Amino acid sequence: MAPLVDETRLRLLLYLASAADPSRLAVGPALASAAVRAGWRFECYYDALRKGRHFGGGDPADARPGWPNGSLVAGGQHADHIRRLAARFEISALGDPDALLWPVLDDLGVESLARSMDPHELYAAAFERLGEPKPKRALVLDASILAPYLYPAFFTGDPALGLMTRDESLQCEELTVVIGDRDYADVTAELAERHADWGQGVLLGDPDLVADQLGRAVALGLLPLYGRPQTDVIGKAGGLLSRAREPVYGRQYDDRDFFELARHGHGLQVVDPGPPFEAARASAPAVPEAPEPDDAQLERWAREGRVLSTLLFWCGMLRELDCLPRLVDLVAETGLSAGLVTTTELLELAGDSAYLLGAPPERGGVQGLLEPLLGSTGRGVAAEALLPEGVLAESLSEARKAFPAEGWWPLLDAPLEPVRPHRVAWRSGRPTVLFQPRGNGEGPPSEPGRRDVRSLAGNAVRATPLERLFEPRRPFEDARPGPLAPEVARAVRDAGFSYMWTKAGFGRPRIALRDGEFVALTLTAGNWDGWSPFYTVGGAGDLKRAERRLKRAAGWLVGTIDSPLWALSGEILERGSELYRIAELTARGGSSGRLVNVTPRVIARYARVLDELGALGVAS
């Protein structure tokens, strides 16, 4: 029996394919444009090998198999993402008969239009259901590396089918681009400018990511760009970026992207192949205030010289949404009081995990335990100190309308300044000798067969357990944040926040800036990461060392946990036990048992009390 279809509900066309099927690059855009003309929403889901690991940048073709493809399906709850769509839309699905999600769709009673990989069968079923005339014209895509970047052409001209080979029964137009000696940056910037009248934003990423994010790109009018490195295309598409909506979606080639996009007035919202689906976006959840220690209690702690502690869990990118259920579980199980540094983008697409932020613990939620803060631009991440004047205040004001958080956390709210290079660094609880890769990591490798002393020494070390004691210098190894940029603090204050954390003045509890009730507070636990421009907690040992250093005077112990390194579905299998030890140690008051675990907002109030008692200095 065919499933019953409620024609009064919003309609959504769902296209299923394999990431190994090149025809998806032509069929997907043609189906999406037809759905838009019919007044439907469109989404796609492409099966792929997924390892659920943190992919931090570089060319995905050089990564380990499955690492760039997003969450493990079970850990990422992809079936639940489909169920969210089914709750809001009447779905009609079509595509690869072996697609992973067909059993879920069948269980939901979703209308199946065609289970086929043949483009003509898919088009016949789709256009009949959409009530749209089947175009007599086709755009033929060259099956090259540029094919994923050609989808805007389906939305800027007459209706067309998409094919990978010519069909003599149709009026076919070759949709090819002459590459010549040009690179990705040149060609994708040219293509994006060609379709600029259609675009409203930017999708910055490699071919597989761009293909997979077609649903989001269509819904938001995102023009695709890519470069290797991506800073090349960011510079070439500067005019386009200046007109684009915030944020830029995509993923970083390396962390320089956050700096270069900031100079063009944007944050980056990082996505992976796979959910969350753009069509599932909803309002950010309401999180009512919970009871907190009163001012008298804070003053008693101050006079006793107590150190208050908390953790700040960074979880603000859409690709990191899989971390959120695990962080909620971690907080609920340990009773930890902590902060969730996030973005309105993630909260609007978080689904079931988000409402638990506003539910009290006795009902199964984490209200009063996990306090949401907004990070960076509020919708993406940028090096805030490099944003043009007025951009940060505008972005944060808009983000707070969607989610009125009190606290704010930066990627980099101070200019980077060079420091004397260190030869030894602390990595994963052990000292590591740092070395500069040959040629500074750039330029040609050593000549084949060359056997100099350095090569011989390197080969000897790699053949022994001593290899783990050596590590190449990281991109931000020899820099640290300078003084807090006052224009960043003003923007945060003017956007309505009552407190912020700063990367400046790390290590000692200090108020870096106070303006009335608004305070900027230093972070005190963790290490300079070196890969990215911020301090992170790398294990329970970091907290124990900070406790020994800070316990002699009233103040606070606060460090950031970079959640995707710990709680993505693949990472937690490897590192989950250490994450639990970090949370449990903080929740029980540290090694001494004398630390007081509270939420970040309570520490901001405590800082004001300490300041009024004259117990704190001003960060230099």
Side-chain angles (χ1 to χ4, degrees):
M1 179 182 296
L4 297 175
V5 176
D6 183 353
E7 298 290 356
T8 65
R9 300 179 68 204
L10 295 173
R11 303 308 310 272
L12 183 142
L13 185 67
L14 176 64
Y15 172 49
L16 305 174
S18 165
D21 179 10
S23 68
R24 78 194 190 285
L25 305 177
V27 174
L31 292 175
S33 62
V36 169
R37 291 194 300 275
W40 290 35
R41 292 295 297 268
F42 172 85
E43 289 288 357
C44 61
Y45 181 92
Y46 300 150
D47 298 342
L49 174 67
R50 305 179 194 273
K51 292 294 186 178
R53 305 305 293 250
H54 171 68
F55 177 66
D59 189 342
D62 298 331
R64 301 185 204 179
W67 278 55
N69 291 339
S71 176
L72 294 166
V73 173
Q77 302 172 309
H78 292 193
D80 289 346
H81 286 282
I82 288 292
R83 292 187 179 99
R84 284 191 67 202
L85 288 181
R88 297 187 58 187
F89 296 93
E90 197 71 35
I91 299 175
S92 297
L94 74 170
D96 190 334
D98 295 323
L100 179 73
L101 293 177
W102 276 122
V104 181
L105 295 167
D106 290 339
D107 185 57
L108 292 168
V110 163
E111 181 182 30
S112 173
L113 298 181
R115 304 193 186 203
S116 172
M117 296 175 62
D118 183 279
H120 292 286
E121 292 182 23
L122 296 174
Y123 289 142
F127 281 91
E128 180 181 359
R129 188 65 187 89
L130 293 168
E132 287 288 305
K134 185 177 176 181
K136 301 186 182 301
R137 165 177 181 262
L139 298 179
V140 182
L141 277 65
D142 179 0
S144 71
I145 56 176
L146 289 172
Y149 300 91
L150 302 177
Y151 66 79
F154 289 85
F155 299 88
T156 56
D158 294 333
L161 305 179
L163 299 173
M164 302 304 287
T165 58
R166 295 183 65 87
D167 184 331
E168 298 305 323
S169 67
L170 297 168
Q171 178 187 345
C172 290
E173 175 185 340
E174 300 287 345
L175 195 58
T176 58
V177 178
V178 178
I179 300 175
D181 59 356
R182 299 183 299 168
D183 58 15
Y184 267 119
D186 285 330
V187 178
T188 61
E190 175 191 301
L191 288 170
E193 195 61 50
R194 185 184 302 176
H195 301 111
D197 290 345
W198 173 78
Q200 301 177 52
V202 166
L203 176 59
L204 182 66
D206 53 90
D208 284 341
L209 179 78
V210 167
D212 188 276
Q213 290 293 309
L214 180 62
R216 177 163 286 112
V218 170
L220 301 179
L222 305 180
L223 294 165
L225 294 170
Y226 187 45
R228 295 188 299 190
Q230 285 183 161
T231 49
D232 290 350
V233 75
I234 293 170
K236 290 174 181 177
L240 190 73
L241 283 162
S242 68
R243 305 187 297 271
R245 59 178 290 173
E246 170 72 8
V248 169
Y249 296 86
R251 57 181 169 196
Q252 75 270 33
Y253 195 87
D254 57 49
D255 279 8
R256 292 178 299 167
D257 294 349
F258 296 111
F259 289 71
E260 194 63 25
L261 282 172
R263 294 185 179 97
H264 288 82
H266 286 289
L268 178 63
Q269 178 55 245
V270 180
V271 292
D272 269 344
F277 297 110
E278 180 61 35
R281 187 184 293 267
S283 298
V287 181
E289 289 189 10
E292 293 180 345
D294 60 21
D295 289 347
Q297 178 63 72
L298 296 180
E299 187 168 336
R300 283 194 294 272
W301 284 335
R303 297 189 184 282
E304 294 170 3
R306 301 295 286 271
V307 174
L308 274 54
S309 69
T310 200
L311 298 173
L312 304 175
F313 290 102
W314 163 254
C315 181
M317 300 299 198
L318 295 184
R319 62 82 50 95
E320 298 159 5
L321 180 55
D322 299 338
C323 299
L324 185 55
R326 299 175 186 90
L327 297 179
V328 168
D329 282 350
L330 181 70
V331 166
E333 202 283 328
T334 60
L336 174 71
S337 293
L340 176 72
V341 182
T342 190
T343 60
T344 54
E345 292 286 308
L346 184 135
L347 292 173
E348 289 170 354
L349 287 158
D352 294 346
S353 300
Y355 81 88
L356 294 172
L357 299 173
E362 62 271 18
R363 297 283 185 177
V366 291
Q367 179 193 4
L369 295 176
L370 191 58
E371 175 200 343
L373 299 79
L374 286 180
S376 202
T377 71
R379 288 199 173 272
V381 172
E384 300 88 0
L386 300 179
L387 287 166
E389 184 177 356
V391 168
L392 182 61
E394 181 180 354
S395 296
L396 288 177
S397 296
E398 188 276 333
R400 284 195 81 246
K401 291 176 184 176
F403 188 79
E406 284 193 44
W408 182 78
W409 179 96
L411 173 69
L412 191 63
D413 59 335
L416 282 176
E417 297 181 348
V419 297
R420 181 180 178 182
H422 294 282
R423 300 195 65 178
V424 178
W426 200 261
R427 301 280 193 249
S428 302
R430 58 178 171 78
T432 302
V433 178
L434 303 178
F435 67 90
Q436 188 68 47
R438 186 182 298 279
N440 198 28
E442 302 173 356
S446 301
E447 297 175 9
R450 183 176 175 182
R451 304 288 289 175
D452 59 18
V453 173
R454 180 174 174 177
S455 298
L456 291 170
N459 291 337
V461 167
R462 282 189 288 274
T464 72
L466 291 174
E467 182 180 7
R468 63 191 299 268
L469 299 179
F470 293 82
E471 183 178 300
R473 306 191 76 83
R474 296 175 178 179
F476 297 96
E477 198 81 65
D478 302 330
R480 295 294 185 275
L484 167 64
E487 64 273 16
V488 172
R490 283 196 299 270
V492 177
R493 178 204 61 194
D494 292 347
F497 294 92
S498 65
Y499 73 96
M500 62 173 277
W501 300 96
T502 177
K503 301 298 169 58
F506 172 83
R508 301 179 63 193
R510 291 290 183 264
I511 295 177
L513 180 146
R514 181 165 185 178
D515 186 348
E517 288 299 293
F518 177 79
V519 288
L521 308 178
T522 58
L523 299 165
T524 58
N527 297 287
W528 183 251
D529 177 81
W531 288 118
S532 300
F534 54 83
Y535 299 92
T536 57
V537 173
D542 289 346
L543 300 180
K544 294 175 182 178
R545 284 187 290 275
E547 181 180 356
R548 290 193 293 269
R549 176 169 47 84
L550 297 169
K551 67 182 181 181
R552 296 180 180 83
W556 53 85
L557 188 158
V558 180
T560 298
I561 302 288
D562 195 5
S563 295
L565 298 177
W566 299 87
L568 286 174
S569 56
E571 305 292 345
I572 202 164
L573 298 173
E574 182 178 333
R575 306 189 72 191
S577 60
E578 181 65 13
L579 180 62
Y580 182 87
R581 282 192 286 272
I582 292 170
E584 192 270 339
L585 177 67
T586 306
R588 65 176 163 85
S591 297
S592 66
R594 284 189 47 80
L595 303 184
V596 182
N597 178 219
V598 296
T599 58
R601 180 169 49 209
V602 174
I603 291 182
R605 292 174 50 217
Y606 189 53
R608 298 185 193 103
V609 169
L610 292 174
D611 187 45
E612 288 156 11
L613 293 174
L616 288 175
V618 177
S620 59

